[in-house]
Amino acid sequence: MPVTALHHFTIRCTPEELPPLLDFYTRVLRLQVGARPDIPAPGAWLYAEGQPIVHLYAHLSMPDAAVRPVTGHLDHISFRAQGLKEMREHLAAAGVPFAEAPIPGWAIQQLFLHDPRGLKIEMTFWQDMEEEGAA
């Protein structure tokens, strides 16, 4: 049976790291807190269009040791997104630094930013899905 999509990813953290992570993923990326099973550690499941795609799991008693790069073997997580112009404005208003990276020869525009623990987040916008003049 082939893999068909990424279902979710989980970020482990301490209970003290949970509030800034929750703020980032809900306020900046605008995911919604949703149903979560009764798990014996604090956390949250964050949803996009009814799908839980980010799990925050605050089971660590101490923060993970710093590694370089911050993401270890993982370089970044990419979210497909729409509303490029509005997202640029939203990130700027929220004071969240980001970098833009168009893909040469492809109708794709990427925004890169980092969550409070340093995980690189890519937001991928298909230009043919954007409103005229919004890119």
Side-chain angles (χ1 to χ4, degrees):
M1 189 170 193
V3 172
T4 60
L6 176 68
H7 186 270
H8 73 271
F9 67 93
T10 300
I11 299 173
R12 65 179 178 261
C13 62
T14 66
E16 295 76 27
E17 292 171 312
L18 183 59
L21 286 167
L22 189 57
D23 176 67
F24 175 84
Y25 285 96
T26 57
R27 183 179 56 84
V28 176
L29 294 188
R30 293 182 279 189
L31 298 175
Q32 296 84 41
V33 175
R36 178 179 183 254
D38 187 19
I39 298 172
W45 282 15
L46 306 175
Y47 288 69
E49 297 184 356
Q51 171 68 43
I53 59 173
V54 177
H55 295 179
L56 301 177
Y57 186 40
H59 70 98
L60 300 177
S61 58
M62 295 177 37
D64 285 331
V67 296
R68 290 287 175 230
V70 173
T71 56
H73 294 293
L74 178 71
D75 184 73
H76 67 277
I77 300 292
S78 178
F79 294 104
R80 185 167 181 169
Q82 285 186 283
L84 176 59
K85 180 178 184 291
E86 191 276 332
M87 182 52 76
R88 286 180 182 130
E89 293 167 356
H90 172 71
L91 293 173
V96 175
F98 64 94
E100 296 204 36
I103 298 179
W106 292 50
I108 295 175
Q109 180 74 15
Q110 301 165 308
L111 301 181
F112 287 96
L113 52 148
H114 291 86
D115 81 3
R117 293 201 62 209
L119 180 62
K120 188 186 333 179
I121 303 295
E122 172 187 324
M123 301 186 74
T124 303
F125 298 84
W126 271 253
Q127 292 173 350
D128 63 346
M129 300 294 290
E130 296 296 308
E131 292 182 27
E132 194 69 33

